[in-house]
Amino acid sequence: LLMFALTGASTTLTIAQAPDNTPRISMTLEHGAHRIGKRIDSKMSRWRNYGFGQFIHWGLYAIPGGHWNGEYYGGAAEWIRSWKGMPNEDYDNLYTEFDPVDFDPKAWAEQAKDMGARYMIITTKHHDGFCLWPSEFTDYDVTNAPYGQDIIGPLVEAYDAEGIDVYLYFSVMDWNHPGYRSKLETAEDREAYEGFKEFTRNQLLELLERYPSTKGLWFDGTWDAAWKEQAEFADNLAMEMREMIPGLIIGSRFRPDDYGNRHFDSNGDLMGDYEQGWERKLPDTYEDTKGNDWDCVMTVPENQWGYHSDWRGHVKTSYELIEMLVKSVSLDGNFVMNFGPNGQGEIRKEERQLAKEIGEWMHKNQKAIYDCGYIDWEKQDWGYYTRNRESGEVYMIVFNKPINGALRIKTPAKINLDKIFDLNGPQKTYRPEEIHRNEYFIHLDEALLETPKVIVIQYSEATNQTKGYDKAKT
Ligand SMILES: C[C@@H]1O/C(=N\OC(=O)Nc2ccccc2)[C@@H](O)[C@H](O)[C@@H]1O
């Protein structure tokens, strides 16, 4: 071990072997990443194979829906409490109006099934602190609203019944709890925050107790300085939650490390089971993912998670959302599309229409999404490759048909293209035209693609490469 003083603090370094057996010098962290590389257990493999999920942001913010006193609020609807046009006490009293008479968890679950979502993430408590479940640890929950009943339980039941796994979103930041602090400056702050930490632990254990079929927690609201000092508390809490539900899946947005770093610890290693940094954005290349598991959570408008009655700016089409879904899976990630039900518990018509259109595509093409991931074939302009992790079957998902209809395929060496055919329709097959070593064209003949087209490639590893090619003499 090397010991040397750094800015007066002493840092212990560890020399160990990285997974690829290269020597690694890393800072010794008590509460950094506890695992290098992907989780390989069956529960995480199930998560990795989802492909497509549904996010639901629902709470008191759905009642004002981005407006107050006739004024339009241009920020994210679920942040309206922070808007100067919304007096805190007016927002905090919205719970007295929460009575979503049209809430129908079975209908939501059926719609998610038809859309092709394989998991769902529901906001149990967003930043405002209002709990959609009867919590023993606060009165600021559904039982004290006119609705008076648990929301989370029926949702978990309905989605479980459809075979859609449920994950619980939980915001650590809680604007309602008197002990919450964004930073700890005084002894009073620290004392109050200890009470808040105990409250947070109590609520999380309560959620796992009440809803043991949940497969994981999606944490948020962990960026404040106060929480970034809680490395040991968060680490112990994560361990305690996993003692309650072994294999519980928790992303990178929960814990800070010994030095307050989140997502990646001070050695640059991912903390948590998958990276949660891709929010309303996608990696461009496989290298951007650092080879980690990751999810992309995506809003339909530019930035509205909760219900806003007046969506302005660009609203994504099903074509755009399908391309994001395909791109996510092609880079080994999961794509999670957001829904924001309104104050009555209805899913707005724009989201219903998108769910229908995406579902129609998924119904025909889900083989290219489910249980699929990245393959290291050169990315081409026509679209994306995905590969089924079990069968090894490769899918070309074509978004951009070239004018000449020739789709270029470039494989690594020693790959044989054995069979190429349309996933849908009359099982048209393609004979690859070899244009150079490991490089081919396949020729599409249909005039125009109505929707993204999936072509299946069955390939094998060649034992030896027979054909010789003239290497350019440079
Ligand atoms: C899913 C979204 O998550 C949030 N915030 O996200 C982030 O803080 N994103 C973030 C932060 C730092 C790095 C990368 C993403 C919330 O404030 C928002 O209301 C919504 O629930």
Side-chain angles (χ1 to χ4, degrees):
L1 291 183
L2 297 173
M3 288 287 289
F4 59 91
L6 249 184
T7 61
S10 76
T11 303
T12 312
L13 295 181
T14 308
I15 302 177
Q17 275 198 325
D20 59 3
N21 292 328
T22 54
R24 232 174 72 104
I25 294 182
S26 54
M27 204 181 291
T28 309
L29 298 169
E30 288 301 306
H31 305 296
H34 297 311
R35 183 198 65 253
I36 307 291
K38 293 182 176 181
R39 260 178 64 170
I40 51 173
D41 58 289
S42 60
K43 290 186 174 180
M44 196 66 202
S45 297
R46 182 183 174 92
W47 182 93
R48 184 172 297 124
N49 283 333
Y50 285 143
F52 190 24
Q54 177 189 39
F55 215 147
I56 298 177
H57 275 74
W58 199 33
L60 298 183
Y61 40 77
I63 297 169
H67 296 79
W68 194 251
N69 286 340
E71 294 285 308
Y72 166 83
Y73 167 58
E78 71 283 359
W79 275 78
I80 193 167
R81 185 182 188 274
S82 67
W83 177 41
K84 66 181 180 340
M86 165 68 90
N88 283 351
E89 60 274 15
D90 287 2
Y91 183 92
D92 294 345
N93 285 321
L94 284 171
Y95 79 93
T96 60
E97 300 173 38
F98 189 71
D99 190 15
V101 291
D102 298 329
F103 172 49
D104 181 351
K106 287 194 181 69
W108 290 13
E110 279 161 31
Q111 176 190 283
K113 186 73 175 183
D114 294 348
M115 180 174 80
R118 288 221 279 185
Y119 69 122
M120 184 274 280
I121 306 167
I122 175 67
T123 49
T124 59
K125 179 179 86 169
H126 203 260
H127 309 330
D128 60 6
F130 184 69
C131 302
L132 294 188
W133 81 97
S135 175
E136 201 183 309
F137 303 98
T138 179
D139 292 335
Y140 199 47
D141 73 25
V142 277
T143 53
N144 294 309
Y147 187 70
Q149 307 159 60
D150 183 10
I151 294 270
I152 300 300
L155 272 172
V156 170
E157 199 179 323
Y159 276 75
D160 279 354
E162 290 288 350
I164 300 175
D165 288 350
V166 174
Y167 290 70
L168 304 179
Y169 167 109
F170 184 90
S171 173
V172 170
M173 178 165 76
D174 181 326
W175 296 327
N176 183 266
H177 192 280
Y180 185 79
R181 295 289 185 281
S182 56
K183 50 187 181 295
L184 303 174
E185 290 173 318
T186 67
E188 190 277 335
D189 286 343
R190 292 185 180 280
E191 190 184 347
Y193 202 72
E194 285 308 305
F196 170 71
K197 285 160 59 177
E198 187 185 351
F199 161 76
T200 300
R201 172 177 172 273
N202 286 335
Q203 284 206 316
L204 286 167
L205 300 185
E206 175 180 57
L207 281 168
L208 299 185
E209 187 90 34
R210 290 180 62 88
Y211 314 111
S213 70
T214 189
K215 306 293 181 296
L217 293 165
W218 205 94
F219 283 98
D220 197 10
T222 55
W223 49 76
D224 283 331
W227 181 256
K228 286 181 177 177
E229 291 183 34
Q230 310 307 324
E232 181 179 13
F233 172 77
D235 205 3
N236 291 339
L237 181 49
M239 280 186 269
E240 192 173 9
M241 290 191 285
R242 288 198 173 102
E243 275 157 26
M244 278 187 76
I245 302 187
L248 193 70
I249 293 173
I250 299 174
S252 64
R253 211 181 271 191
F254 180 48
R255 295 197 294 124
D257 78 350
D258 310 48
Y259 296 89
N261 290 311
R262 293 164 53 246
H263 296 286
F264 293 91
D265 70 17
S266 308
N267 292 316
D269 294 317
L270 183 69
M271 295 169 67
D273 300 322
Y274 62 95
E275 191 196 345
Q276 275 180 278
W278 303 102
E279 189 224 317
R280 292 181 295 123
K281 60 178 189 261
L282 280 165
D284 249 335
T285 64
Y286 185 68
E287 288 63 36
D288 290 344
T289 73
K290 303 187 178 80
N292 295 313
D293 285 310
W294 57 278
D295 70 355
C296 164
V297 290
M298 187 57 71
T299 49
V300 173
E302 168 58 32
N303 185 17
Q304 292 297 341
W305 297 95
Y307 176 76
H308 197 304
S309 58
D310 180 358
W311 275 356
R312 293 188 186 173
H314 179 66
V315 176
K316 296 174 191 73
T317 61
S318 53
Y319 180 91
E320 289 172 81
L321 292 160
I322 290 169
E323 180 165 11
M324 291 176 183
L325 165 62
V326 169
K327 181 171 184 181
S328 298
V329 173
S330 78
L331 294 174
D332 260 2
N334 286 332
F335 184 71
V336 187
M337 175 184 164
N338 184 69
F339 286 70
N342 67 20
Q344 294 71 41
E346 281 174 312
I347 293 190
R348 66 198 300 154
K349 66 179 182 328
E350 298 93 331
E351 292 174 352
R352 290 203 304 273
Q353 182 58 26
L354 286 170
K356 179 174 172 295
E357 292 168 10
I358 293 168
E360 283 160 3
W361 187 84
M362 278 296 286
H363 185 68
K364 295 198 193 88
N365 300 289
Q366 64 191 40
K367 272 190 83 172
I369 299 294
Y370 295 155
D371 311 329
C372 287
Y374 173 71
I375 184 167
D376 64 346
W377 293 8
E378 184 185 87
K379 172 80 173 65
Q380 303 297 336
D381 292 342
W382 44 258
Y384 307 88
Y385 292 112
T386 62
R387 176 179 180 275
N388 183 292
R389 295 190 175 102
E390 301 305 314
S391 67
E393 210 165 58
V394 167
Y395 305 99
M396 300 168 68
I397 301 131
V398 184
F399 287 83
N400 312 305
K401 176 178 174 273
I403 294 169
N404 66 356
L407 303 182
R408 183 186 303 273
I409 300 172
K410 206 168 172 193
T411 71
K414 298 190 185 313
I415 294 288
N416 281 337
L417 303 182
D418 301 328
K419 195 176 172 206
I420 304 177
F421 54 95
D422 282 350
L423 177 64
N424 294 301
Q427 292 289 308
K428 178 176 174 356
T429 58
Y430 300 85
R431 288 184 49 72
E433 177 203 351
E434 198 162 5
I435 57 174
H436 194 56
R437 182 197 299 278
N438 308 312
E439 196 167 347
Y440 313 83
F441 278 147
I442 61 169
H443 295 279
L444 287 186
D445 48 22
E446 64 246 74
L448 197 63
L449 296 182
E450 298 292 321
T451 64
K453 179 186 178 68
V454 177
I455 295 170
V456 186
I457 300 178
Q458 293 173 348
Y459 74 94
S460 52
E461 316 262 340
T463 43
N464 56 1
Q465 191 88 34
T466 47
K467 209 180 285 350
Y469 280 89
D470 308 330
K471 275 183 84 61
K473 292 176 179 53
T474 52

